[in-house]
């Protein structure tokens, strides 16, 4: 698995902190919470997508695809956060289509579960691969 350099790792961690801060700020309904979350999600997802796996393991490749799906769901949760704010960026049709005010929470939960699963499994699969060599 390709490791991130120091700068990329910093952007990755800042993105994760901003995602948590943005999702946490939604509890008190601060109007800027989707912006903070969205910036964090873009940083987090882009840095995670830079990590590549070029090895022979089909399992790790499959888990990486699931992890990328999780990153896309993180970004989708950000879009849905904007939709709950009303007519931000013309996304009010999503709000009226779903009739659910906090549908981004479900998407965020699904993304987080997939992220936890793939992170754990990729780590264990890389350990198995290292033992074989």
């Amino acid at each position: 698995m390709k490791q991130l350099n120091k700068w990329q790792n910093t952007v990755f961690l800042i993105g994760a902190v901003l995602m948590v801060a943005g999702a946490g700020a939604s509890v008190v309904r601060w109007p800027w919470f989707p912006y903070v979350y969205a910036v964090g999600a873009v940083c987090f997802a882009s840095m995670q997508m830079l990590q590549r796996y070029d090895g022979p393991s089909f399992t790790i490749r499959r888990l990486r695809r699931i992890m990328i799906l999780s990153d896309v769901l993180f970004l989708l949760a950000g879009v849905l956060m904007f939709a709950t704010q009303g007519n931000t960026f013309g996304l009010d049709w999503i709000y009226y289509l779903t009739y659910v005010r906090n549908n981004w929470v479900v998407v965020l939960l699904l993304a987080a579960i997939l992220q936890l699963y793939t992170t754990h499994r990729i780590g264990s699969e890389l350990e198995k691969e290292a033992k074989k060599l």
Side-chain angles (χ1 to χ4, degrees):
M1 192 88 155
K2 179 186 170 205
Q3 296 296 317
L4 297 175
N5 64 28
K6 194 174 194 176
W7 176 81
Q8 291 170 332
N9 197 26
T10 303
V11 172
F12 179 76
L13 291 175
I14 289 172
V17 169
L18 288 175
M19 286 173 63
V20 170
S26 70
V27 173
V28 291
R29 302 301 292 169
W30 286 338
W32 48 266
F33 81 92
Y35 298 98
V36 173
Y37 177 85
V39 168
V42 167
C43 291
F44 183 84
S46 62
M47 290 301 118
Q48 198 167 52
M49 288 181 190
L50 285 178
Q51 292 178 325
R52 300 191 61 85
Y53 176 74
D54 295 325
S57 175
F58 177 75
T59 303
I60 296 176
R61 289 177 189 255
R62 178 184 56 85
L63 289 168
R64 280 286 302 147
R65 286 192 296 269
I66 295 171
M67 187 178 277
I68 289 172
L69 171 67
S70 156
D71 291 334
V72 170
L73 289 174
F74 279 134
L75 296 172
L76 178 63
V79 170
L80 292 173
M81 281 182 183
F82 283 111
T84 61
Q85 293 291 85
N87 194 11
T88 308
F89 303 121
L91 297 173
D92 58 340
W93 62 272
I94 296 173
Y95 177 77
Y96 294 113
L97 181 67
T98 59
Y99 300 108
V100 178
R101 294 187 188 269
N102 291 328
N103 50 5
W104 62 269
V105 175
V106 176
V107 176
L108 182 62
L109 179 64
L110 179 62
I113 290 170
L114 287 175
Q115 191 71 224
L116 285 171
Y117 170 73
T118 57
T119 301
H120 173 71
R121 283 290 314 275
I122 287 174
S124 65
E125 290 294 324
L126 286 174
E127 286 178 13
K128 287 180 189 177
E129 191 175 276
K131 287 180 183 177
K132 288 181 183 178
L133 298 176

